[in-house]
Amino acid sequence: YSDYKRYRASAGLTFIWMSPMGPLGFSLAKPVKEYEGDDTEGNIITRTKFNKQYLLINFWASWDEASLEANQMLKRIHKKYKKRKDFTMLGISLDVDQQTWKQKIASDTLDWNQAIEEKSWQGEVVSQYAINQLPTNLLLNTAGRVEKINITEEELDTFLKDVDKKEADKKKKRK
């Protein structure tokens, strides 16, 4: 993903990565495909539930040590930004065992929206979002397009400050 930023400005660029299932990709010019999965209560959760918000989607698993480390950063992000109306988070786990997944959410106090892809690497969400490693995160804009891939906490801070600045500038122009 290191070349992602360099190519970000190219409208319509399609990204293709290799996954355990072969080449995958998506276009930055279009919103990512709809996601539908089960949350911790067994309710259906969809990506479009979060329209009009910046959405940080984190792909993780309870058995992946790097995912568990990344969850610590995500906990800080959630604490910092949970009151923002224009930003939210969704964790999508590739666990195959719901009980283990729910226990990890509870023990690590992962208080944001969570869903599970019980087919793990063979699940549809893995191919439609071009996931080839864990953890992976995608920041979607309010139109459902990918803004950033594997964003860090510092990059997210800067991104949301820029969003605030643009909003403030819009308000000034209206006056």
Side-chain angles (χ1 to χ4, degrees):
Y1 304 128
S2 59
D3 292 333
Y4 172 74
K5 289 180 185 174
R6 185 173 19 179
Y7 298 113
R8 173 64 182 102
S10 301
L13 180 67
T14 298
F15 283 86
I16 298 180
W17 294 296
M18 293 304 292
S19 81
M21 299 181 298
L24 305 170
F26 56 86
S27 171
L28 291 174
K30 299 176 187 168
V32 294
K33 292 181 181 174
E34 179 60 75
Y35 166 74
E36 186 175 286
D38 292 335
D39 69 10
T40 56
E41 304 298 316
N43 300 314
I44 299 290
I45 194 166
T46 63
R47 179 197 54 81
T48 52
K49 171 186 177 186
F50 308 106
N51 279 353
K52 309 293 183 201
Q53 292 179 296
Y54 291 94
L55 175 62
L56 182 62
I57 303 176
N58 181 56
F59 294 88
W60 69 287
S62 66
W63 43 261
D64 180 61
E65 199 62 42
S67 292
L68 302 181
E69 290 174 21
N71 280 344
Q72 298 310 307
M73 174 192 75
L74 295 167
K75 284 171 66 170
R76 289 191 305 272
I77 289 171
H78 183 256
K79 183 178 180 181
K80 208 182 311 185
Y81 295 118
K82 66 183 173 184
K83 293 183 180 175
R84 282 187 76 120
K85 293 188 186 313
D86 65 344
F87 175 79
T88 194
M89 297 167 55
L90 171 62
I92 300 177
S93 173
L94 299 188
D95 279 280
V96 293
D97 179 9
Q98 277 203 17
Q99 178 121 5
T100 304
W101 166 63
K102 288 178 182 180
Q103 287 172 343
K104 185 50 73 176
I105 290 169
S107 68
D108 285 4
T109 52
L110 307 180
D111 294 336
W112 54 94
N113 297 291
Q114 296 288 336
I116 189 169
E117 173 53 80
E118 289 182 276
K119 292 180 183 174
S120 193
W121 289 107
Q122 287 70 46
E124 187 177 332
V125 71
V126 170
S127 61
Q128 71 188 54
Y129 285 76
I131 305 305
N132 64 11
Q133 69 180 16
L134 293 179
T136 294
N137 72 53
L138 304 174
L139 178 64
L140 306 184
N141 66 21
T142 57
R145 293 182 178 93
V146 175
E147 283 287 329
K148 304 275 184 183
I149 299 171
N150 288 332
I151 193 168
T152 65
E153 185 175 0
E154 294 78 22
E155 290 171 329
L156 181 63
D157 292 341
T158 301
F159 180 85
L160 291 174
K161 284 178 188 170
D162 289 346
V163 167
D164 292 342
K165 185 178 180 329
K166 287 176 186 173
E167 279 300 310
D169 290 347
K170 281 183 188 177
K171 286 180 183 178
K172 284 181 186 176
K173 285 183 180 181
R174 285 187 220 144
K175 290 183 179 182

